[in-house]
Amino acid sequence: GEYEAMEKAIQDLLKEAGFVFTVVPPDVDESAIQESSPYRLVEELVLAKARAVAIGVTEPAIVIAGDVVGRIAGKIVGKAKDEEEARWMLTRLSKEGVEFIAGYAVIDTATSCEWHGYDVAWVHFKKISEEDIRECIAKGIPFRSAAGFAMREEPCRNWVARVEGDESVVIGLPMRRVKAILGELLQK
C-alpha cells in the first residue's frame, strides 16, 4: 500500500549501505503530532515511530525511524491531501525550490539509549512542464511523498537542477548521521 511505497526509498538507502533489517510499520497517528517548527516536527515524528516499534520488540534490536517534510515558500508541506494541493506544490518547486528536513531516530532496545536529530538539504529544480505535473499526480507521487516530490521516481528524478546537502535527506533518512550512530553501536 501507500506506506510500503513511501518507505521503499528509505529501505533502499539502508540496503545500499549494507544493512540487513526487518521492516515493522509503526502504529502512530502522525496527524496528532503538531509542531510549528519543521525541525521539531520531524524529530517528534521519528521519535514517536521509533518508540512505537521499540515497545513491541522482544529481543535486543536497533530500531531506526526516518521521516521527511518539505518547506516551500515558508510553509511546511508533507504529502499532498488532494489534487489542488499537489498541483500547488509541484508548481512551486521550479519557482522556489524546496528545503527538505529529514529526521532520524535510533533506539538500542538492549540499553534503551536513544539518538535523534535532523539534517537539511535544499533542492533546486529545472522548469517543470505541465505534462510532467499531470504525470506525477496521475502516478500518485504527491500523495505519498513530502513536497509532492520523490527523488528516485520518474518523472521527478529529471527535475533536479542541483542538491545542496545530502540526497538521503531528500529521500527521508539522513544516512550520514545514521551511519555514524550505527557504526558506533555495531562496534560495541
Side-chain angles (χ1 to χ4, degrees):
E2 180 182 314
Y3 177 82
E4 290 83 9
M6 177 185 67
E7 298 299 319
K8 183 182 178 323
I10 291 176
Q11 292 173 33
D12 289 346
L13 286 174
L14 290 167
K15 286 176 190 168
E16 289 163 12
F19 296 110
V20 177
F21 55 91
T22 301
V23 176
V24 179
D27 184 17
V28 173
D29 176 8
E30 293 185 35
S31 66
I33 300 171
Q34 301 292 315
E35 282 286 340
S36 59
S37 161
Y39 313 102
R40 283 293 309 147
L41 176 62
V42 294
E43 280 196 88
E44 292 297 324
L45 285 168
V46 295
L47 274 171
K49 289 178 178 186
R51 288 171 178 163
V53 171
I55 286 170
V57 173
T58 56
E59 298 176 13
I62 297 171
V63 176
I64 303 168
D67 207 340
V68 63
V69 297
R71 188 157 60 169
I72 302 173
K75 179 181 176 185
I76 299 172
V77 290
K79 302 171 196 98
K81 294 170 188 63
D82 55 36
E83 189 170 333
E84 182 181 342
E85 186 176 38
R87 184 167 290 286
W88 178 85
M89 288 181 195
L90 295 171
T91 303
R92 299 296 289 250
L93 295 182
S94 58
K95 293 179 179 154
E96 302 182 37
V98 179
E99 176 188 25
F100 285 95
I101 304 106
Y104 63 90
V106 178
I107 299 176
D108 180 350
T109 63
T111 63
S112 298
C113 288
E114 295 182 347
W115 295 262
H116 59 89
Y118 64 86
D119 203 350
V120 176
W122 275 92
V123 179
H124 303 273
F125 295 87
K126 302 170 189 169
K127 177 130 179 62
I128 302 169
S129 71
E130 179 60 31
E131 181 181 325
D132 277 355
I133 289 173
R134 280 195 302 272
E135 178 184 349
C136 186
I137 292 171
K139 286 182 169 185
I141 294 170
F143 310 108
R144 65 176 186 268
S145 302
F149 173 75
M151 185 86 172
R152 294 185 171 185
E153 289 188 51
E154 294 290 345
C156 300
R157 78 173 90 205
N158 301 319
W159 301 346
V160 177
R162 77 179 191 282
V163 177
E164 293 176 41
D166 185 349
E167 279 189 18
S168 69
V169 170
V170 180
I171 294 167
L173 186 64
M175 288 303 293
R176 185 172 46 93
R177 297 185 188 264
V178 170
K179 280 200 259 187
I181 295 165
L182 294 177
E184 286 182 34
L185 278 173
L186 297 174
Q187 286 179 357
K188 291 180 180 178

